[in-house]
Amino acid sequence: MHDNFLKRIEVITSLLIVHNQKSKVVPLRLVLDDLIHVIISSASSNQSNEVLKGIWINRIESCAKKANITLQKNDWLCSWSKVERSRNQAVSTERSPSSGSSITENNNNNTTDSYTSSIPSLKTKVTEEDKNRFRKMFDSLNPNNFWVLDATKRAAAAAGPDVNPLSVEEKIASFALNSSNLHPSYSMILDVDEENWKTVFTKEELMEIQNEGSSLIRQTPDELLGLLKAIKKMSVEDIYTYAYSLPHDPTKDHLLTWWSLTLLNAANQFLCENTGTERVGEADTMYNNWSFLSTIFRGSNIQVHG
């Protein structure tokens, strides 16, 4: 086992030196391309693609550091996708030699070719242009700002010293590039309630992501709850009169100003058969009926555009 490990280190170092003779900075993707067959042949059946990725990226980085060779680490996810695709195809062939079905790229041995969607009719196939655009965006990110979960670190440590824990961003990118359909991950959006992420993150990792930070949905201010309670049993006419006579200073009491204008506008829609807006465009009608959204920022530091 130790001899095999040393041979792999020798192979990696030799490849790094060869590429370093051609360029001062060695692209990680080229090294991965050269190591595809070595990686696949050395992988054990119980190793997930994610664990395998962590092991080999860590080995290559360690060898480059010892050899004082600089690695260029952008655009390597595409090369790793080739490794996963080749490995999955080899595994499929072993399990079903007579099968003629096609194999799709996946992560953690679970296919993302046809991700779960509540609106299957809206699935759009990913093009190479989409993938190239995504890679360019991902490569522009600063890896120092990536988030490595504590649960991921613990799992990597338990798997062995050769396993390099992957960040949340790297896992999202890997999932995106292995998907045949456009997915929110192409915008680096992670919805922990979506079933697909259970194939990418462990239950502990998803729980850690879920519990990070404060709730995105803010609680309703007590003052506004009191105002809502005050009009609960009022008629439309009474609401209009209440809003019109609500004592407040429009230069300081911004919530009460917004509340008064909102109630006046809403009640006015029901107090006259002809509001004078029947023939206006749909956009004007929608803006008028939903104006409470565009005026809620009155007195704040937020500027609304559009």
Side-chain angles (χ1 to χ4, degrees):
M1 180 71 105
H2 182 66
D3 291 340
N4 289 335
F5 174 76
L6 291 178
K7 287 180 181 178
R8 291 164 194 160
I9 297 301
E10 288 177 6
V11 170
I12 296 172
T13 305
S14 298
L15 286 172
L16 287 169
I17 293 173
V18 169
H19 285 294
N20 190 227
Q21 291 173 347
K22 301 176 183 177
S23 173
K24 291 183 179 179
V25 179
V26 177
L28 176 56
R29 59 181 178 82
L30 295 182
V31 180
L32 285 172
D33 288 342
D34 292 337
L35 289 171
I36 284 183
H37 297 297
V38 178
I39 295 173
I40 295 174
S41 61
S42 67
S44 60
S45 59
N46 62 342
Q47 283 181 326
S48 67
N49 286 334
E50 181 182 345
V51 170
L52 194 64
K53 181 197 298 181
I55 290 174
W56 279 92
I57 296 301
N58 188 51
R59 284 176 179 171
I60 296 171
E61 289 178 340
S62 298
C63 289
K65 186 176 181 180
K66 289 179 181 179
N68 198 27
I69 295 175
T70 303
L71 278 177
Q72 181 183 345
K73 298 179 183 179
N74 63 331
D75 202 21
W76 64 271
L77 285 172
C78 180
S79 293
W80 184 259
S81 294
K82 296 177 185 176
V83 175
E84 290 188 356
R85 184 169 61 247
S86 298
R87 186 192 182 199
N88 295 332
Q89 189 170 3
V91 171
S92 177
T93 302
E94 290 176 4
R95 291 177 179 175
S96 305
S98 60
S99 173
S101 58
S102 59
I103 307 300
T104 57
E105 297 175 16
N106 62 48
N107 188 46
N108 276 350
N109 298 323
N110 289 285
T111 181
T112 58
D113 178 61
S114 209
Y115 64 81
T116 304
S117 171
S118 58
I119 314 177
S121 60
L122 295 183
K123 288 181 180 179
T124 304
K125 290 295 182 181
V126 175
T127 64
E128 278 305 313
E129 183 180 355
D130 294 325
K131 290 191 174 186
N132 290 333
R133 190 183 302 114
F134 177 81
R135 293 188 193 101
K136 184 176 181 181
M137 178 278 297
F138 185 79
D139 291 340
S140 69
L141 301 179
N142 184 355
N144 294 326
N145 296 329
F146 285 1
W147 181 21
V148 180
L149 299 169
D150 290 337
T152 306
K153 294 176 183 177
R154 289 194 295 269
D162 288 336
V163 179
N164 190 29
L166 296 177
S167 66
V168 172
E169 291 80 1
E170 287 173 308
K171 291 188 177 187
I172 293 175
S174 180
F175 175 86
L177 290 173
N178 279 289
S179 177
S180 295
N181 299 312
L182 281 178
H183 182 269
S185 56
Y186 269 81
S187 297
M188 299 300 288
I189 295 174
L190 170 58
D191 178 3
V192 293
D193 293 324
E194 186 187 330
E195 289 294 318
N196 293 291
W197 294 117
K198 292 181 180 179
T199 69
V200 179
F201 298 95
T202 64
K203 185 182 297 184
E204 291 75 17
E205 288 173 330
L206 289 173
M207 186 64 67
E208 185 177 340
I209 295 172
Q210 180 75 56
N211 294 334
E212 179 70 16
S214 58
S215 175
L216 292 177
I217 302 177
R218 299 187 62 182
Q219 299 297 314
T220 305
D222 292 337
E223 185 181 1
L224 183 55
L225 287 174
L227 294 171
L228 288 167
K229 187 176 181 180
I231 67 170
K232 187 174 182 180
K233 296 183 178 180
M234 288 185 184
S235 65
V236 176
E237 292 83 355
D238 290 339
I239 289 176
Y240 185 90
T241 302
Y242 161 81
Y244 184 76
S245 58
L246 187 66
H248 65 281
D249 183 349
T251 63
K252 298 179 180 179
D253 301 329
H254 300 299
L255 177 62
L256 289 178
T257 301
W258 170 79
W259 181 242
S260 175
L261 293 173
T262 296
L263 292 182
L264 285 171
N265 184 62
N268 183 54
Q269 307 297 316
F270 301 93
L271 294 176
C272 181
E273 291 184 3
N274 179 19
T275 61
T277 59
E278 183 178 354
R279 293 182 178 277
V280 298
E282 181 181 3
D284 294 316
T285 302
M286 293 294 290
Y287 187 85
N288 186 49
N289 292 339
W290 292 84
S291 61
F292 65 92
L293 290 178
S294 62
T295 57
I296 197 171
F297 304 107
R298 186 181 187 277
S300 72
N301 294 324
I302 301 174
Q303 292 289 332
V304 181
H305 300 278

